[in-house]
Amino acid sequence: MIRGITVRKLFSVQRVYSPLMRSFAESVSHNLDEMLIITKSCAKRINELRKKSNNDGLILRLAVDGGGCSGFQYAFSMESDDTLSSDDKVFTKDGATVVVDESSFELVKGSTVDYEQELIKNAFAVVNNPQSESACGCGSSFALKAFSANPAID
């Protein structure tokens, strides 16, 4: 007995909630796959750039271009929010905005956008990209998972 509950009852309660918990975990996992995660350091840097430029409408745009040493490369640019188009996906954190066009989003969904500060460079970066099979050493380009089954369309 554990505090008046038999072990048998404890395990039967867990089995009752197990499918519910599994369903919840699957829905959270599915929702994360349709998101772009923005780290605190990324949001902080965007807000610093907004303040420095006296432009509250400054956003970070992430795009994916063909090229780079691994097949696709990440491209970051700071833009005014009046450049938004109808197919853009918009993500916010702590007042900072990251925007990705729809076709690029398919290649980075579920990823994390970070601002990395290292001895050799300070830059925005995409980390933990679930769509990526491998990346180059500097992390600016990546190879798509199952590329032969999903070739790029020009």
Side-chain angles (χ1 to χ4, degrees):
M1 290 191 57
I2 303 172
R3 292 188 188 190
I5 301 172
T6 65
V7 174
R8 179 185 217 140
K9 285 184 181 176
L10 180 65
F11 286 122
S12 67
V13 169
Q14 285 181 339
R15 272 187 255 131
V16 168
Y17 287 106
S18 179
L20 178 63
M21 292 305 292
R22 196 172 349 186
S23 174
F24 174 74
E26 288 170 359
S27 73
V28 167
S29 174
H30 174 71
N31 289 337
L32 287 177
D33 288 343
E34 296 300 318
M35 293 183 63
L36 196 65
I37 300 163
I38 304 168
T39 65
K40 284 187 178 274
S41 63
C42 177
K44 179 181 175 188
R45 182 61 179 156
I46 293 169
N47 287 328
E48 288 170 352
L49 293 170
R50 289 172 54 198
K51 186 175 180 180
K52 187 176 181 178
S53 69
N54 290 323
N55 183 352
D56 286 340
L58 203 60
I59 59 173
L60 176 67
R61 179 172 292 280
L62 166 60
V64 176
D65 297 324
C69 53
S70 295
F72 293 95
Q73 59 188 0
Y74 303 113
F76 292 96
S77 60
M78 296 300 296
E79 299 179 358
S80 177
D81 61 0
D82 61 5
T83 62
L84 290 173
S85 70
S86 60
D87 75 333
D88 283 337
K89 304 267 188 188
V90 179
F91 304 91
T92 59
K93 179 173 184 139
D94 300 336
T97 302
V98 177
V99 176
V100 185
D101 63 89
E102 193 172 348
S103 58
S104 294
F105 182 67
E106 290 302 315
L107 303 173
V108 296
K109 62 184 176 183
S111 299
T112 300
V113 180
D114 193 14
Y115 183 73
E116 297 178 338
Q117 298 182 31
E118 300 173 354
L119 290 175
I120 58 172
K121 72 175 183 174
N122 296 336
F124 292 105
V126 174
V127 294
N128 302 325
N129 183 349
Q131 313 308 318
S132 172
E133 183 172 71
S134 62
C136 68
C138 69
S140 64
S141 68
F142 68 99
L144 190 61
K145 281 184 181 175
F147 180 74
S148 59
N150 302 302
I153 300 172
D154 291 330

